[in-house]
Amino acid sequence: MCKKEKYFRFRLCLLLLAAILFGLNSLMIPQASGQKRFDGIEITVFTQPPPFIAKPVQMFRADWEKKTGAKVKLITAPWAELYPKMISSFTMGAKKYDIIIFPAAWLADFAGNNFLVPLDDFIAKDKELAWNDILPVYRERICSYAGEIWAVPMDGDNHIFYYRKDALDNLEYQKKFKDKYGYALAPPKTWKQHREIAEFFNGWDWDGDGRLEYGVVEAMRKDDQAYWTFFSRAAAYVSIPGQPGGLFFDPNTMEPLINSPGHVKALEDWIKVKQFGVPGVVNMDSGEIRNVFTIGDASMAIDWGDIGVMADTSPESTIKGQCGYTIMPGTTRVWDYKKQTWAEFPNGNQAPYLAFGGWLAAIDAKSDHIEAAYDFISFLGKPENSYISVTTPETGFNPCRKMHFDRLAGWFGYGFVNPKDYLGAIEATIAHDNVQPDLRIPGTARYFEALDPQLAMALAGNKTAKEALDAVAKEWKRITEDIGKDAQLKAYRASLGLLIK
Amino acid sequence: MKSIISLFTGKWAGRSFLSPTVCILLALTIFPFFFSLWLTFSKVSFIGGVNIQFVGLRNWARLFEDERFYNAISNTLIIVFVAVSMEYLLGLGLAILLSNSKIKGRGFFRILYLTPMMLAPIAVGYMGRMMFNFNRGPVNHLLRQVGFPPVEWLTNTQTAIYSIIMMDIWQWTPLMFLILFAGLETIPSGFFEAARVDGASRWQLFRYIIFPLLIPASLAAILIRVLETFKVIDIIYIMTGGGPGISTETMTLFGYSLGLNAFDLVYGSTIAFSLFVIVLVVSIVLLLLTRRFQEQ
């Protein structure tokens, strides 16, 4: 065998070896990717269009896909189409969405009909999610229905109270206010004080910017979110600490309480404060009030966490560092629906309201990929990712975990001047002994839709508070009868954590 | 085989070729129409799947007891009557003005006047909301400049509906103008020349030649706008959301609130059908009028 031939054979052997190694390698690759838990699976997530609420899905899906081998398909629909699309997919068993991210108020409609997967077992085994770090009110009340957990909170929502520090802390104004009203000017503890402060700061240039400023700005527009503002005002008038159920229905009879003297008084107060509002306040929606407050036109406002974010981080804001935060004012008299009398609270009764309750993520009970869907929800909601979401602009997510309140670095990075105060007001609201959760029974949207035009008519001066709320009570009775009184009573008691009769 | 071929060649050929279209039409329009009609006599529950129960005239009785229904009808009729009348008068005036060959740059103005019609109603709604904003809107700014007090255009129950009407007129007068201008162009010039020879004044030209000969075009334009204005929702939704109170809530907005916001499908369908009946009656009256004038 000549040298040349030997060399040729040697090269042939090398080539064969390379081919074998290449073959083995290509066999190894699928084996390696097969080790990824959900290789080849595609899950669909359905929520409203980005940026708000859908943005965190866009932010974290690539990492999860890399980790698990699965794919995430995001489907969105405008707000008004969310509920119809979700409910029609569930009722038809269409399995269109594996995960839905939806408002907490709809949980009863979905969980009550077993459209969702109960998550208790998943959560019990899940170390990554740090379930106990989620604040108890979201963990135990907002995500639960009839004793089971059906969703993971992505966002915590509640109304807090905003005021202009440069107005209320001004020594000259404090003196003038005390001379006029006989008590110290400070963030209001009662709705009466709130009205008087609104009156004091209405219609003059108290911040020296050459323009008139006004007392208050609150969302009053129909077909927006006015009913949540109303319940935030009414809660303290009708919620006696330790006595559940005063805000919506009598939990023993399912009779509407919406036209109780407490509710009527709250609406009368709201109508009265309108005169100290920014011109046109009667038809302003949440978006408008945020703009109006952050460009410096009003001394006080009620909103979710959004005004706080915009005041310090929006380039259009003229009040950076001047925004104060506290829990909602209260009352000194509370309507006791059981005794049918006013109860006196000389030191004040506060009852912050978890308006809206936040956005939850849940899984369609008929999904073919329940495990993968849960894994993605857990990834999205785990502490570190959740923290990034609540401290990133335009995610629409607000704090709902203990660690969101403990770590301030992210909030300073976000642009907050006084994050401790902002988070303090939210925490004080959520952790309050007399905090009132939102209505969470089947047909919630119908009850609110019946209330909305009547509030609008009362605010526009077409009806008195009593006339408007009597009409709502009549309509609520009809809706309850229509859906089924017994079933609704059970659902309402379940939502309040009461024993189901 | 022969019988299959005969389906496409014999007397059945026409029907065979039409059948796919008819089937699609039945599936996509006729079926949903009758299903929605059926819903107006039903109750729908989603507990344990979709359950539809016949309840007779209950939804209709609820509609006729509902104060929002009468308010919505009243608002809709005000918008239809005022907006369409103004659009017709302004459109007619512009059409006559721009048909005058002595006006320089007629072509430019014709295109300019058509611009609002090309905008999406949502965009027009946002424009209206900004224009009529109490504090920062240009309309109130101008009023202040000339010494008038600012007006609560969108936040007063008395003025809000007229602000909406103004935006509707701004957007849709061009359509009237377009149709009437086309109608004017079809009138033979000999009619005008003969009238002028007889010593007719401008008013007489309008009264005895232009107006009568424009009646078919006018009725067509009015019919189109009436039908469209009955269904108006986008501009109102953006500008006022039906408020303050329910002072600008129209039938479509009322149906939208109940049907989609509250997901009360049966009541939403009942509202939609009540609007359908009203529009049908108005359309029949207008079509009869058109036919009568055409016969004359």
Side-chain angles (χ1 to χ4, degrees), chain A residues 79-81 83-85 87-88 91-92 113 115 211 214 221-223 278-285 288 292 295 297 442 445-446 449-450 453-454 456-458 460-463 471 474-475 478-479 481-484 487, chain B residues 43-50 58 62 65-68 129 133-136 152 154-158 160 236-249 253-254 256-264 266-267:
Chain A
W79 165 259
E81 289 174 27
Y83 184 86
K85 287 197 166 165
I87 199 98
S88 57
T91 50
M92 302 295 173
N113 287 311
F115 291 148
R211 290 208 323 251
Y214 302 90
R221 185 179 166 110
K222 190 179 85 64
D223 276 346
V278 172
V281 68
V282 71
N283 219 29
M284 283 187 181
D285 60 24
E288 264 179 299
V292 166
I295 58 168
D297 279 2
R446 287 177 67 183
E449 170 52 34
Q454 298 296 337
M457 281 189 267
N462 301 130
K463 280 186 173 184
K474 192 178 160 199
E475 189 60 15
R478 200 194 55 72
I479 296 169
E481 295 294 338
D482 197 35
I483 300 174
Chain B
K43 175 186 169 183
V44 175
S45 158
F46 295 104
I47 297 168
V50 184
R58 203 174 78 177
R62 181 183 163 195
E65 284 174 9
D66 194 336
E67 59 181 328
R68 276 177 84 183
R129 194 163 163 178
N133 183 287
F134 182 87
N135 278 329
R136 293 183 166 73
E152 283 192 277
L154 299 176
T155 52
N156 182 306
T157 51
Q158 305 300 315
I236 303 172
Y237 185 78
I238 299 298
M239 282 179 73
T240 63
I246 52 170
S247 62
T248 56
E249 189 174 71
L253 199 56
F254 177 41
Y256 170 82
S257 292
L258 269 297
L260 284 176
N261 280 355
F263 209 57
D264 191 346
V266 291
Y267 199 45

Side-chain angles (χ1 to χ4, degrees), chain A residues 312 325 405 408-409 411-412 415-425:
Chain A
D312 279 1
Y325 328 88
F405 297 90
L408 293 181
W411 296 100
F412 281 115
F416 272 84
V417 178
N418 302 304
K420 212 171 176 182
D421 294 351
Y422 172 70
L423 296 169

